[in-house]
Amino acid sequence: MKICCIGAGYVGGPTMAVIALKCPSIEVVVVDVSAKRITAWNSDQLPIYEPGLYDIIKQCRGRNLLFSTDMEKHISESDIIFISVNTPTKTSGLGAGKAADLTYWESAARTIADASKSDKIVVEKSTVPVRTAESLKRILTHNSKGINHEILSNPEFLAEGQAIQDLLKPDRVLIGGFETPQGRKAVQVLRDVYAHWVPEDRIIIANLWSAELSKLVANAFLAQRISSVNAISALCEATGADVSQVAYAVGKDSRIGPMFLNASIGFGGSSFKKDILNLVYICECNGLAEVADYWKLVVKINDYQKNRFVERVISSMFNTVAGKRIAVLGFACKKDTGDTRETPAIDVCKGLLEEKATLSIYDPQVTKEQIQHDLAMNNSDLNHSNYLQLTNPATIKQVGKASNAYEAAKGAHAVCILTEWDEFRKLDYQKIYESMQKPAFFFDGRNVVDPHKLRAIGFVVYSIGKPLMHG
Ligand code: UDX
Ligand code: ADP
């Protein structure tokens, strides 16, 4: 059997690597339109950072795992084709700002139609709007030259930074197919692939629309928990309660559970906002205005939380940050990834830059170029404005990781933690305090540090959802 995956990104790359690892008898090829991406996958500098991924790639690459730009050849030779291309939110036209942009996805579907010379199972891996399979079927049927394409939905639930663990031990694998004899047969073929390592009771079979919708709903529920706890964090600050204690007590209820109750500066990542907006759009298209409004609020609270953080920094620092140097520790949307898509750090940094602060940013995995791109600053802005001073991870790597944060904090008026990297828990905050301007402000957007310990050193500390004590 041969599997081809279109799209060598955060989902396609790790997912196919694990399939290749667990199914040595299957040949797995990942194809992409971007030659640069494919070259990176074939090198020692993979295009994405994911703990454990490189080891698997080293084991399988060249054995039964291939990365290639020859889409036509590998599609035509494969039995199963995964579509794992990006589906960002539309920026213009009908549904702009909410609906999923299916341009890349449609182009992938057309490539399959053109390249196929025999029957195929086509699997939707990217998150897509409900009933996308119907459009996919139409594109493939109209161009099929009599070839049968059986369509399945197999949404990916992996979280970045823990993708390999999620793929090796998934909570569930969801496969949706058409309820026809051919549909059921195709489901069985894909189920057999996963059965190489996933226990039978974790492989769930559903109809196509339920599978597509489940992915959007799972992400909406997860994001909703974060917005719920973040909303309560504002109330905790106003009343003197501690959000970590409240979340712990609430999460002990087995009906609620402890996961995804960490208050933060807001959720980021490629999926949550995009998928909720997509859900909102689908509800609106179906005349369900109240349901759409309900889910919109999850995104609204997320924006509120980011703004609240910026306002807190400014008001604490005597209502102005103009000309003050602020060290930003962490830029990625979460720890253990270099992904900055929708990272709350973008809005927080932009908010501080608008107030004319000087930022010195350090993140163990995000490059200077990426930060520049995300903050839409070009090199001349950087050289001439004095707004942004970046600590280049590539340079710092040579002198050891731990010094990055120290360098960023040296001479700063304030430190803001925006990503919960483990290394920020272990820093010598006494040393950092001594190198900073006084009063030394500390804004912990991820509840990484113990505020009592930092206050004992002399910092003025603000932690999300924790009692405030100035001085
Ligand atoms: C998410 C889903 O978890 C995953 O199942 C789906 O396939 C893709 O979307 P991902 O975005 O990679 O995965 O990471 P996740 O761990 O869910 O975190 C998303 C954002 O929420 C991050 O910015 C994270 O910092 C934030 N978060 C998470 C919180 O602020 N508090 C929490 O308690 C948990
Ligand atoms: P995700 O997080 O969903 O994996 P990424 O943006 O990381 O998204 O990856 C999507 C990949 O899909 C990119 O590498 C992009 O070049 C690729 N891609 C987009 N459209 C096509 C297409 N029509 N054919 C092949 N690859 C595509």
Side-chain angles (χ1 to χ4, degrees), residues 173-249:
V173 166
L174 177 59
I175 305 175
F178 284 107
E179 284 161 329
T180 58
Q182 298 100 308
R184 278 189 275 273
K185 214 169 131 200
V187 166
Q188 192 55 44
V189 173
L190 188 58
R191 181 191 219 157
D192 289 346
V193 172
Y194 284 108
H196 279 83
W197 79 99
V198 181
E200 285 283 312
D201 60 348
R202 294 203 171 197
I203 306 180
I204 305 172
I205 308 301
N207 75 37
L208 252 163
W209 325 129
S210 305
E212 289 179 345
L213 185 60
S214 300
K215 174 64 200 254
L216 292 181
V217 173
N219 276 345
F221 273 44
L222 290 169
Q224 181 199 41
R225 278 174 78 95
I226 303 169
S227 277
S228 296
V229 79
N230 281 344
I232 295 303
S233 75
L235 183 61
C236 287
E237 286 164 31
T239 57
D242 180 328
V243 75
S244 303
Q245 293 177 8
V246 173
Y248 183 75

Side-chain angles (χ1 to χ4, degrees), residues 282-297:
I282 295 169
C283 292
E284 283 172 352
C285 290
N286 284 286
L288 302 171
E290 286 79 3
V291 184
D293 287 347
Y294 174 76
W295 287 107
K296 262 187 220 166
L297 280 176

Side-chain angles (χ1 to χ4, degrees), residues 144-376:
S144 72
K145 306 158 267 181
I147 294 163
N148 181 41
H149 290 101
E150 204 50 52
I151 294 157
L152 301 177
S153 165
N154 172 221
E156 187 46 67
F157 294 104
L158 67 82
E160 283 173 27
Q162 56 194 65
I164 300 304
Q165 276 319 306
D166 288 347
L167 286 162
L168 290 173
K169 287 193 165 95
D171 286 345
R172 79 301 208 187
V173 166
L174 177 59
I175 305 175
F178 284 107
E179 284 161 329
T180 58
Q182 298 100 308
R184 278 189 275 273
K185 214 169 131 200
V187 166
Q188 192 55 44
V189 173
L190 188 58
R191 181 191 219 157
D192 289 346
V193 172
Y194 284 108
H196 279 83
W197 79 99
V198 181
E200 285 283 312
D201 60 348
R202 294 203 171 197
I203 306 180
I204 305 172
I205 308 301
N207 75 37
L208 252 163
W209 325 129
S210 305
E212 289 179 345
L213 185 60
S214 300
K215 174 64 200 254
L216 292 181
V217 173
N219 276 345
F221 273 44
L222 290 169
Q224 181 199 41
R225 278 174 78 95
I226 303 169
S227 277
S228 296
V229 79
N230 281 344
I232 295 303
S233 75
L235 183 61
C236 287
E237 286 164 31
T239 57
D242 180 328
V243 75
S244 303
Q245 293 177 8
V246 173
Y248 183 75
V250 169
K252 276 288 176 191
D253 186 324
S254 58
R255 293 167 302 175
I256 297 173
M259 309 290 281
F260 268 67
L261 289 179
N262 292 323
S264 66
I265 37 167
F267 57 76
S270 67
S271 301
F272 284 172
K273 185 174 169 192
K274 181 187 80 170
D275 289 355
I276 291 178
L277 292 177
N278 195 347
L279 190 64
V280 165
Y281 184 67
I282 295 169
C283 292
E284 283 172 352
C285 290
N286 284 286
L288 302 171
E290 286 79 3
V291 184
D293 287 347
Y294 174 76
W295 287 107
K296 262 187 220 166
L297 280 176
V298 173
V299 176
K300 196 171 170 193
I301 286 288
N302 202 46
D303 291 336
Y304 163 76
Q305 189 75 346
K306 290 183 269 190
N307 292 336
R308 218 165 65 73
F309 185 80
V310 173
E311 281 164 18
R312 176 74 71 184
V313 172
I314 295 163
S315 64
S316 305
M317 295 175 76
F318 318 112
N319 285 321
T320 177
V321 291
K324 292 180 184 167
R325 182 165 160 187
I326 299 179
V328 171
L329 302 189
F331 195 83
C333 60
K334 58 186 280 198
K335 74 170 181 177
D336 292 338
T337 178
D339 194 359
T340 62
R341 287 178 290 181
E342 292 294 337
T343 177
I346 295 177
D347 287 337
V348 170
C349 288
K350 280 186 175 168
L352 294 173
L353 288 169
E354 268 166 29
E355 295 287 328
K356 304 203 177 346
T358 299
L359 303 184
S360 84
I361 303 174
Y362 162 64
D363 187 286
Q365 285 298 330
V366 183
T367 62
K368 176 179 168 177
E369 289 69 30
Q370 186 63 47
I371 294 173
Q372 268 174 251
H373 172 266
D374 289 338
L375 297 176

